[in-house]
Amino acid sequence: MKNKNKISNKTKNNMNIQNSKFKNKCKLVFEKLKALLANSIYPDNCNCIMCDKEIPSDSKYGLCENCYNKLPFNNQIYCVKCGVPMENEATYCLQCQNNERHFDFVRSCFVYENEIKKLILNLKFHNCKWVAKYFADMLFDCYNLYDLNAELIIPVPISKEREKQRGYNQTKMFAKPLAEKLNIPISIDTILKIKDVSPQTKLSGKQRHENVKGAYKVINDKSVKGKRVLIIDDILTTGSTIDEVAKQLKIAGASAVYGLVLASPKYILLSDNFNDQNVNAIMID
């Protein structure tokens, strides 16, 4: 009887081992199939990320020549302080003329319109994480164009609740590969968003500024003290978010704070009084 039990237990153990191996093989096959499926849905280095046209593997920003030539580069007339594109030849936008800014200056790669706008929103709200590495390439070229000379990179943080809901911080997705390309340290825990605020999209300039007050806190002063810090974000509209982050970094001892963003909407003056100025709901800060 004991021998039978021993044989039975041995058989069960062998079956368990075989089942475990089978499950591992199935898991491996599933992961490979998932990767193949992902590549078929989000082709890498073979199709233009805008028009889906087949392209060479070394194409700039993953774009065909036609789409690249349509990019709305923000390299014409822009506010020398916050970097927003303008349609007049003023040196500063009214927001920067009439309000104290804590950042030294901000630069953006593109005007926030057309296909660039769609790509940013796809990453931000539609889980299109594959586009982040191309954003890093775009920011890399913009950084070198303006010779920003930073010593530390900090992506604008989002609240834990928002990150849990979205599943990721979209800015962190392209800030990390950017830091690697620039060989500059990146910190994702120096400053935190300590409270969730109302969405900025439908707020006036003054409301946006008040909305983000006290929303960020530096928890590691030593990492920024005496350093030139580069804040990374996706979109700058009024600059309220980057300005509040810069304020906290300056209080913590940063010697300079710059901003680098993917895109800025064109500056449109809707009111002579900045405090009462409304911004289009499509603009996201």
Side-chain angles (χ1 to χ4, degrees), residues 35-49 52-59 61-63 129-134 137:
L36 288 172
L37 181 60
N39 286 333
S40 67
I41 297 174
Y42 307 123
D44 190 18
N45 293 329
C46 60
N47 291 80
C48 175
I49 62 173
D52 205 36
K53 177 182 176 181
E54 189 172 347
I55 57 173
S57 60
D58 60 349
S59 295
Y61 304 151
L63 298 169
K129 300 176 185 177
W130 52 273
V131 77
K133 72 172 187 175
Y134 299 110
D137 292 340

Side-chain angles (χ1 to χ4, degrees), residues 5 13 25 36 56 60 66 78-79 82 85 89 98 107 127 139 147 157 160 179 211 219 231 250 252 264 266:
N5 287 335
N13 288 336
K25 286 182 179 179
L36 288 172
K60 187 80 168 175
N66 184 51
Y78 55 83
C79 172
C82 72
E89 296 185 2
N98 298 333
R107 294 292 177 263
N127 204 37
L139 289 166
D147 193 22
K160 291 181 179 180
N211 191 41
I219 59 171
I231 303 172
K250 286 283 184 76
S264 296
K266 286 182 179 178

Side-chain angles (χ1 to χ4, degrees), residues 95-109:
Q95 297 175 16
C96 290
Q97 287 181 42
N98 298 333
N99 296 271
E100 180 186 7
R101 296 296 207 181
H102 297 92
F103 53 77
D104 290 79
F105 60 82
V106 181
R107 294 292 177 263
S108 61
C109 301

Side-chain angles (χ1 to χ4, degrees), residues 17-253:
I17 293 171
Q18 289 176 358
N19 286 337
S20 179
K21 288 182 178 179
F22 179 73
K23 287 179 180 179
N24 289 335
K25 286 182 179 179
C26 287
K27 185 177 180 180
L28 183 61
V29 170
F30 176 75
E31 291 297 329
K32 288 183 178 180
L33 287 173
K34 187 167 70 170
L36 288 172
L37 181 60
N39 286 333
S40 67
I41 297 174
Y42 307 123
D44 190 18
N45 293 329
C46 60
N47 291 80
C48 175
I49 62 173
M50 285 188 181
C51 71
D52 205 36
K53 177 182 176 181
E54 189 172 347
I55 57 173
S57 60
D58 60 349
S59 295
K60 187 80 168 175
Y61 304 151
L63 298 169
C64 67
E65 184 177 357
N66 184 51
C67 287
Y68 178 82
N69 290 332
K70 290 180 181 178
L71 286 175
F73 286 101
N74 183 22
N75 57 7
Q76 299 299 316
I77 301 173
Y78 55 83
C79 172
V80 298
K81 189 70 172 178
C82 72
V84 298
M86 300 192 297
E87 295 183 341
N88 57 46
E89 296 185 2
T91 304
Y92 299 94
C93 68
L94 272 185
Q95 297 175 16
C96 290
Q97 287 181 42
N98 298 333
N99 296 271
E100 180 186 7
R101 296 296 207 181
H102 297 92
F103 53 77
D104 290 79
F105 60 82
V106 181
R107 294 292 177 263
S108 61
C109 301
F110 304 104
V111 179
Y112 183 61
E113 61 186 17
N114 303 330
E115 297 303 319
I116 282 295
K117 175 183 173 182
K118 291 179 183 177
L119 288 175
I120 292 173
L121 293 181
N122 280 340
L123 172 62
K124 194 164 187 172
F125 299 114
H126 302 295
N127 204 37
C128 296
K129 300 176 185 177
W130 52 273
V131 77
K133 72 172 187 175
Y134 299 110
F135 285 164
D137 292 340
M138 296 169 184
L139 289 166
F140 177 80
D141 288 344
C142 193
Y143 177 96
N144 288 318
L145 176 65
Y146 295 109
D147 193 22
L148 297 180
N149 193 28
E151 297 174 290
L152 180 68
I153 288 176
I154 295 180
V156 169
I158 60 177
S159 67
K160 291 181 179 180
E161 293 76 12
R162 184 69 59 85
E163 187 164 358
K164 184 177 180 181
Q165 181 184 30
R166 185 175 293 162
Y168 56 95
N169 177 348
Q170 77 283 353
T171 303
K172 195 189 303 180
M173 295 288 294
F174 50 80
K176 283 186 173 181
L178 172 65
E180 291 174 4
K181 289 171 70 68
L182 292 170
N183 195 27
I184 297 174
I186 183 173
S187 176
I188 58 174
D189 55 6
T190 291
I191 185 167
L192 301 178
K193 193 171 188 180
I194 57 175
K195 72 173 185 179
D196 216 355
V197 297
S198 302
Q200 297 274 74
T201 54
K202 296 183 180 180
L203 301 180
S204 69
K206 182 179 180 180
Q207 289 171 332
R208 285 174 177 234
H209 179 71
E210 294 297 325
N211 191 41
V212 295
K213 273 188 175 180
Y216 301 94
K217 181 180 181 180
V218 174
I219 59 171
N220 185 3
D221 292 11
K222 291 182 180 179
S223 65
V224 300
K225 191 171 183 179
K227 292 183 179 178
R228 300 182 300 273
V229 181
L230 179 66
I231 303 172
I232 302 295
D233 206 357
D234 50 7
I235 308 162
L236 179 144
T237 306
T238 64
S240 299
T241 297
I242 284 185
D243 193 54
E244 182 63 21
V245 172
K247 178 182 177 181
Q248 300 306 319
L249 291 172
K250 286 283 184 76
I251 292 173

